[in-house]
Amino acid sequence: MKAWLGNVLPDGDSLTLGTQSYAGYRDHLKRYMFQRGYNYNYVGTKTTQAGDLDNWGMDDKQSNAVASKTTVQLADLLSTTTVPPPVDWVFHMSGANNNASGDESATVQKGYFQYYVDKLDGIVPFGTKLRFLTCTMQADASSNGFIRAVNQGLYEFMSSGNRRNLDIDVWPVGELMELPVHDMDLWYDGTHFHHKGYRKMAKIVAAFWLRELGAEAALWQPLLEDFGVQSVTFDTS
């Protein structure tokens, strides 16, 4: 019998949704977790994109917002049709999470994360586990100043932001995507992965998740060793 983890909402932008024929990391993640003795439901609508696995959880909606605006598109949708309670886990990939034209201010990005948490707190149950997944530097180098600001803003939020009633942590997925080298072969285009990139991302997310669940290292360490990472620091405090 598989250990039951509950309902999981993977939200974010196009890096979560996938692009063209590449439907993201989510189905890969479910397979890796199932193979290691865990099962769960994705919340949302199942769709299929040609050439890839089933695409779960987003209902083809993206969460784009800047702190000065009054709505977070996905969060507003969650409050009505997308997320029936209970939601146990939210995985938020912060790739291009606002409409600020790539604003490279970490302060602006921190404000976005606070705004997102404020909205989410009013939608999901008390104590929902929110795991922010950091973003990797992209093949399109022109975006990387923005990505650095996003990740810095996230860590500044974790240091001094109001976490409301959520159980929040950061899984530095983006940093591990860079190891052992920045692999240009992961990318479908300048900003989105193809199969190889999404499989690697799913392995990293699975490794963080399994470790948090208390699984023995023999279950999660090989997921990292598959692409040459022999050891990793998990402390994000």
Side-chain angles (χ1 to χ4, degrees):
M1 180 178 293
K2 307 295 183 184
W4 182 248
L5 301 178
N7 288 342
V8 177
L9 172 69
D11 82 344
D13 56 19
S14 58
L15 287 177
T16 297
L17 178 63
T19 185
Q20 301 297 322
S21 61
Y22 303 106
Y25 73 92
R26 291 160 291 169
D27 216 35
H28 298 296
L29 175 62
K30 184 150 191 174
R31 183 173 69 256
Y32 295 144
M33 295 297 289
F34 192 83
Q35 290 169 345
R36 288 157 180 80
Y38 296 87
N39 198 12
Y40 56 90
N41 283 331
Y42 279 132
V43 174
T45 301
K46 172 182 173 181
T47 62
T48 301
Q49 299 195 35
D52 203 352
L53 302 163
D54 293 330
N55 185 16
W56 290 86
M58 287 276 292
D59 197 21
D60 295 334
K61 305 299 191 299
Q62 299 183 26
S63 70
N64 296 311
V66 66
S68 62
K69 297 202 172 183
T70 56
T71 61
V72 176
Q73 294 174 20
L74 182 61
D76 288 345
L77 288 163
L78 300 186
S79 67
T80 54
T81 61
T82 308
V83 180
V87 177
D88 302 287
W89 300 81
V90 177
F91 296 160
H92 184 78
M93 163 56 80
S94 52
N97 54 16
N98 66 40
N99 291 326
S101 300
D103 195 308
E104 296 186 11
S105 164
T107 300
V108 170
Q109 300 304 329
K110 177 186 176 183
Y112 162 78
F113 287 111
Q114 185 64 70
Y115 188 71
Y116 171 82
V117 167
D118 291 348
K119 292 287 290 186
L120 194 67
D121 181 58
I123 295 166
V124 298
F126 183 97
T128 294
K129 297 176 178 64
L130 169 60
R131 299 296 175 262
F132 286 114
L133 316 180
T134 61
C135 188
T136 187
M137 296 297 105
Q138 300 180 348
D140 179 2
S142 66
S143 301
N144 286 341
F146 170 62
I147 297 299
R148 290 188 191 93
V150 169
N151 289 341
Q152 182 181 345
L154 173 56
Y155 285 115
E156 289 183 6
F157 166 78
M158 293 297 294
S159 174
S160 60
N162 185 341
R163 304 188 189 191
R164 300 294 180 179
N165 296 306
L166 305 177
D167 174 347
I168 304 177
D169 201 359
V170 177
W171 291 348
V173 174
E175 289 86 332
L176 268 68
M177 289 294 292
E178 296 288 318
L179 300 177
V181 296
H182 186 84
D183 186 355
M184 298 297 289
D185 194 38
L186 300 178
W187 301 90
Y188 162 75
D189 57 19
T191 56
H192 302 95
F193 298 126
H194 58 54
H195 291 302
K196 181 179 178 181
Y198 282 122
R199 283 195 297 267
K200 181 175 180 178
M201 181 179 171
K203 287 179 180 181
I204 295 170
V205 174
F208 276 108
W209 202 1
L210 289 164
R211 184 183 184 279
E212 180 170 320
L213 293 168
E216 59 188 55
L219 286 180
W220 55 262
Q221 188 67 47
L223 290 167
L224 304 180
E225 292 172 351
D226 279 351
F227 49 89
V229 177
Q230 300 303 313
S231 63
V232 59
T233 299
F234 285 85
D235 183 10
T236 59
S237 60

Coordinates of all heavy atoms in Angstrom, one line a residue, residues 160-206:
S160 N 11.9 37.8 6.4 CA 11.2 38.9 7.2 C 9.7 39.0 6.8 O 9.0 39.9 7.4 CB 11.9 40.2 7.0 OG 11.9 40.6 5.6
G161 N 9.2 38.2 5.9 CA 7.8 38.3 5.5 C 6.8 37.7 6.5 O 7.2 37.0 7.4
N162 N 5.6 38.0 6.3 CA 4.5 37.4 7.2 C 4.0 36.1 6.5 O 3.4 36.2 5.4 CB 3.4 38.4 7.3 CG 2.3 37.9 8.3 OD1 2.2 36.8 8.5 ND2 1.5 38.9 8.7
R163 N 4.2 35.0 7.1 CA 3.9 33.7 6.5 C 2.4 33.4 6.8 O 1.9 32.3 6.4 CB 4.8 32.6 7.1 CG 6.3 32.9 6.8 CD 7.1 31.8 7.2 NE 8.5 32.1 7.2 CZ 9.5 31.2 7.2 NH1 9.2 29.9 7.3 NH2 10.8 31.6 7.2
R164 N 1.7 34.3 7.4 CA 0.3 34.0 7.7 C 0.1 32.7 8.4 O 0.8 32.4 9.3 CB -0.5 34.1 6.4 CG -0.4 35.4 5.7 CD -1.1 36.6 6.5 NE -1.0 37.8 5.9 CZ -1.5 39.0 6.4 NH1 -2.1 38.9 7.5 NH2 -1.4 40.1 5.7
N165 N -0.9 31.9 8.0 CA -1.2 30.6 8.6 C -0.7 29.4 7.8 O -1.3 28.3 8.0 CB -2.7 30.5 8.9 CG -3.2 31.6 9.8 OD1 -2.7 31.8 10.9 ND2 -4.2 32.4 9.4
L166 N 0.3 29.7 7.0 CA 0.8 28.6 6.1 C 2.1 28.1 6.7 O 2.9 28.8 7.3 CB 0.9 29.2 4.7 CG -0.3 29.8 4.1 CD1 0.1 30.4 2.7 CD2 -1.4 28.8 4.0
D167 N 2.3 26.8 6.4 CA 3.6 26.2 6.6 C 4.5 26.3 5.4 O 4.3 25.7 4.4 CB 3.4 24.7 7.0 CG 4.6 23.9 7.1 OD1 5.7 24.4 6.8 OD2 4.5 22.7 7.6
I168 N 5.4 27.3 5.4 CA 6.1 27.7 4.2 C 7.6 27.3 4.3 O 8.3 27.5 5.3 CB 6.0 29.2 4.0 CG1 4.6 29.6 3.9 CG2 6.7 29.6 2.7 CD1 4.3 31.1 3.8
D169 N 8.1 26.8 3.2 CA 9.6 26.5 3.1 C 10.0 26.8 1.6 O 9.1 26.9 0.7 CB 9.9 25.1 3.5 CG 11.4 25.0 3.9 OD1 12.2 26.0 3.8 OD2 11.8 23.9 4.3
V170 N 11.3 26.8 1.4 CA 11.8 27.0 0.1 C 12.6 25.7 -0.3 O 13.4 25.2 0.5 CB 12.8 28.2 0.0 CG1 13.4 28.2 -1.4 CG2 12.0 29.5 0.3
W171 N 12.3 25.1 -1.4 CA 13.2 24.1 -2.0 C 14.0 24.7 -3.1 O 13.4 25.1 -4.1 CB 12.3 22.9 -2.5 CG 11.6 22.2 -1.4 CD1 11.8 22.2 -0.1 CD2 10.5 21.2 -1.6 NE1 10.9 21.4 0.6 CE2 10.1 20.8 -0.3 CE3 9.9 20.7 -2.7 CZ2 9.1 19.8 -0.1 CZ3 8.9 19.8 -2.5 CH2 8.5 19.3 -1.2
P172 N 15.3 24.8 -2.9 CA 16.2 25.4 -4.0 C 16.4 24.6 -5.2 O 17.5 24.2 -5.5 CB 17.5 25.7 -3.2 CG 17.5 24.7 -2.1 CD 16.1 24.4 -1.7
V173 N 15.3 24.3 -5.9 CA 15.3 23.5 -7.1 C 16.2 24.1 -8.2 O 17.0 23.5 -8.8 CB 13.9 23.3 -7.6 CG1 13.9 22.6 -8.9 CG2 13.0 22.5 -6.6
G174 N 16.0 25.5 -8.3 CA 16.7 26.1 -9.4 C 18.2 26.0 -9.2 O 19.0 25.8 -10.2
E175 N 18.7 26.1 -8.0 CA 20.1 26.0 -7.8 C 20.7 24.6 -8.1 O 21.8 24.5 -8.7 CB 20.5 26.3 -6.3 CG 20.3 27.8 -5.9 CD 18.9 28.1 -5.5 OE1 17.9 27.5 -6.0 OE2 18.7 29.1 -4.7
L176 N 19.9 23.6 -7.8 CA 20.3 22.2 -8.2 C 20.2 22.0 -9.7 O 20.9 21.1 -10.2 CB 19.5 21.2 -7.4 CG 20.2 20.8 -6.1 CD1 20.2 21.9 -5.1 CD2 19.5 19.5 -5.5
M177 N 19.3 22.7 -10.3 CA 19.2 22.5 -11.8 C 20.5 22.9 -12.5 O 20.8 22.5 -13.6 CB 18.0 23.3 -12.4 CG 16.6 22.8 -12.0 SD 16.2 21.2 -12.8 CE 16.2 21.6 -14.5
E178 N 21.3 23.8 -11.8 CA 22.5 24.3 -12.3 C 23.7 23.3 -12.2 O 24.7 23.5 -12.8 CB 22.9 25.6 -11.6 CG 22.0 26.7 -11.8 CD 22.1 27.3 -13.2 OE1 23.2 27.4 -13.7 OE2 21.0 27.6 -13.8
L179 N 23.5 22.2 -11.4 CA 24.5 21.3 -11.1 C 24.4 20.0 -11.9 O 23.3 19.6 -12.2 CB 24.5 20.9 -9.6 CG 24.6 22.1 -8.6 CD1 24.5 21.6 -7.2 CD2 26.0 22.8 -8.8
P180 N 25.5 19.4 -12.3 CA 26.9 19.9 -12.0 C 27.4 21.0 -12.9 O 28.4 21.7 -12.6 CB 27.7 18.6 -12.3 CG 27.0 17.9 -13.3 CD 25.5 18.1 -13.0
V181 N 26.7 21.3 -14.0 CA 27.0 22.4 -14.9 C 25.7 23.0 -15.4 O 24.7 22.3 -15.3 CB 27.9 22.0 -16.1 CG1 29.3 21.5 -15.6 CG2 27.2 20.9 -16.9
H182 N 25.8 24.2 -15.9 CA 24.6 24.7 -16.6 C 24.4 24.0 -18.0 O 25.2 24.3 -18.9 CB 24.8 26.2 -16.8 CG 23.5 26.9 -17.4 ND1 22.5 27.3 -16.5 CD2 23.1 27.2 -18.6 CE1 21.5 27.9 -17.3 NE2 21.9 27.8 -18.5
D183 N 23.5 23.2 -18.1 CA 23.3 22.3 -19.2 C 22.3 22.9 -20.2 O 21.1 22.9 -20.0 CB 22.8 20.9 -18.7 CG 22.7 19.9 -19.8 OD1 23.0 20.2 -21.0 OD2 22.4 18.7 -19.5
M184 N 22.9 23.4 -21.3 CA 22.0 24.0 -22.3 C 21.1 23.0 -23.0 O 20.1 23.3 -23.7 CB 22.9 24.6 -23.4 CG 23.8 25.8 -22.9 SD 22.8 27.2 -22.2 CE 22.2 27.9 -23.7
D185 N 21.4 21.7 -22.8 CA 20.6 20.7 -23.5 C 19.2 20.4 -22.8 O 18.4 19.6 -23.2 CB 21.4 19.3 -23.5 CG 20.8 18.3 -24.5 OD1 20.2 18.7 -25.5 OD2 20.8 17.1 -24.1
L186 N 19.0 21.1 -21.7 CA 17.7 21.0 -20.9 C 16.6 21.8 -21.6 O 15.4 21.5 -21.2 CB 17.9 21.4 -19.5 CG 18.9 20.7 -18.6 CD1 19.0 21.4 -17.2 CD2 18.6 19.3 -18.5
W187 N 16.9 22.7 -22.5 CA 16.0 23.7 -22.8 C 15.3 23.4 -24.2 O 15.9 23.0 -25.2 CB 16.7 25.1 -22.9 CG 17.3 25.4 -21.6 CD1 18.5 25.1 -21.2 CD2 16.6 26.1 -20.5 NE1 18.7 25.6 -19.9 CE2 17.6 26.2 -19.5 CE3 15.4 26.6 -20.3 CZ2 17.3 26.8 -18.2 CZ3 15.1 27.2 -19.1 CH2 16.0 27.3 -18.1
Y188 N 14.0 23.6 -24.2 CA 13.2 23.6 -25.4 C 13.4 24.9 -26.2 O 13.5 24.9 -27.4 CB 11.7 23.4 -25.1 CG 10.8 23.7 -26.3 CD1 10.7 22.9 -27.4 CD2 10.0 24.9 -26.2 CE1 9.8 23.2 -28.4 CE2 9.2 25.2 -27.2 CZ 9.1 24.4 -28.3 OH 8.2 24.7 -29.4
D189 N 13.4 26.0 -25.5 CA 13.7 27.3 -26.0 C 14.5 28.1 -25.0 O 15.1 27.5 -24.1 CB 12.4 28.0 -26.4 CG 11.4 28.2 -25.2 OD1 11.9 28.1 -24.1 OD2 10.2 28.4 -25.5
G190 N 14.5 29.4 -25.1 CA 15.4 30.1 -24.2 C 14.9 30.1 -22.7 O 15.6 30.4 -21.8
T191 N 13.6 29.8 -22.5 CA 13.0 30.0 -21.2 C 12.3 28.8 -20.7 O 11.8 28.8 -19.5 CB 12.1 31.2 -21.1 OG1 11.1 31.0 -22.1 CG2 12.8 32.5 -21.4
H192 N 12.1 27.7 -21.5 CA 11.3 26.6 -21.1 C 12.0 25.3 -21.3 O 12.8 25.2 -22.3 CB 9.9 26.5 -21.8 CG 9.1 27.7 -21.7 ND1 9.1 28.8 -22.6 CD2 8.2 28.1 -20.7 CE1 8.3 29.7 -22.1 NE2 7.8 29.4 -21.0
F193 N 11.8 24.3 -20.5 CA 12.4 23.0 -20.6 C 11.8 22.1 -21.6 O 10.6 22.2 -21.9 CB 12.4 22.3 -19.3 CG 13.2 23.0 -18.2 CD1 12.6 23.2 -17.0 CD2 14.5 23.4 -18.4 CE1 13.2 23.9 -16.0 CE2 15.2 24.0 -17.4 CZ 14.5 24.3 -16.2
H194 N 12.5 21.1 -22.1 CA 11.9 20.0 -22.8 C 11.9 18.8 -21.8 O 12.2 18.9 -20.6 CB 12.5 19.7 -24.2 CG 14.0 19.4 -24.1 ND1 14.5 18.4 -23.4 CD2 15.0 20.0 -24.8 CE1 15.8 18.4 -23.6 NE2 16.2 19.3 -24.4
H195 N 11.7 17.5 -22.4 CA 11.6 16.4 -21.5 C 12.7 16.2 -20.5 O 12.5 16.0 -19.3 CB 11.5 15.1 -22.3 CG 10.2 15.0 -23.1 ND1 9.0 14.9 -22.5 CD2 10.0 14.8 -24.4 CE1 8.0 14.8 -23.4 NE2 8.6 14.7 -24.6
K196 N 13.9 16.3 -21.0 CA 15.1 16.1 -20.2 C 15.1 17.1 -19.0 O 15.4 16.7 -17.9 CB 16.4 16.3 -21.0 CG 17.7 16.0 -20.2 CD 18.9 16.2 -21.1 CE 20.2 16.0 -20.3 NZ 21.4 16.1 -21.1
G197 N 14.8 18.4 -19.3 CA 14.8 19.4 -18.2 C 13.7 19.1 -17.2 O 13.9 19.3 -16.0
Y198 N 12.5 18.8 -17.7 CA 11.4 18.6 -16.7 C 11.6 17.3 -15.9 O 11.2 17.2 -14.7 CB 10.1 18.5 -17.5 CG 9.5 19.9 -17.8 CD1 9.3 20.2 -19.2 CD2 9.3 20.9 -16.9 CE1 8.8 21.5 -19.5 CE2 8.9 22.1 -17.2 CZ 8.6 22.4 -18.5 OH 8.2 23.7 -18.8
R199 N 12.2 16.3 -16.5 CA 12.5 15.1 -15.7 C 13.5 15.4 -14.6 O 13.4 14.9 -13.5 CB 13.1 14.0 -16.6 CG 12.0 13.3 -17.4 CD 12.5 12.0 -18.0 NE 13.6 12.2 -19.0 CZ 13.4 12.3 -20.3 NH1 12.2 12.3 -20.8 NH2 14.4 12.5 -21.1
K200 N 14.6 16.2 -15.0 CA 15.5 16.6 -14.0 C 14.9 17.4 -12.9 O 15.1 17.1 -11.7 CB 16.7 17.4 -14.6 CG 17.8 17.8 -13.6 CD 18.9 18.5 -14.4 CE 20.0 18.9 -13.4 NZ 21.2 19.5 -14.1
M201 N 14.0 18.3 -13.2 CA 13.3 19.1 -12.2 C 12.5 18.2 -11.3 O 12.5 18.4 -10.1 CB 12.4 20.2 -12.9 CG 11.7 21.1 -12.0 SD 10.7 22.3 -12.9 CE 9.7 23.0 -11.6
A202 N 11.8 17.3 -11.9 CA 10.9 16.4 -11.1 C 11.7 15.6 -10.1 O 11.3 15.3 -9.0 CB 10.1 15.5 -12.0
K203 N 12.9 15.1 -10.6 CA 13.8 14.3 -9.7 C 14.2 15.2 -8.5 O 14.3 14.7 -7.3 CB 15.0 13.8 -10.4 CG 14.7 12.7 -11.4 CD 15.9 12.2 -12.1 CE 15.6 11.1 -13.1 NZ 16.8 10.6 -13.8
I204 N 14.5 16.4 -8.7 CA 15.0 17.3 -7.6 C 13.8 17.6 -6.7 O 14.0 17.5 -5.4 CB 15.5 18.6 -8.2 CG1 16.8 18.4 -9.0 CG2 15.8 19.6 -7.1 CD1 17.2 19.6 -9.8
V205 N 12.6 17.9 -7.2 CA 11.5 18.1 -6.3 C 11.2 16.8 -5.5 O 10.9 16.9 -4.3 CB 10.2 18.5 -7.2 CG1 9.0 18.6 -6.3 CG2 10.5 19.9 -7.8
A206 N 11.2 15.7 -6.2 CA 11.0 14.4 -5.5 C 12.0 14.2 -4.3 O 11.7 13.7 -3.2 CB 11.0 13.2 -6.4

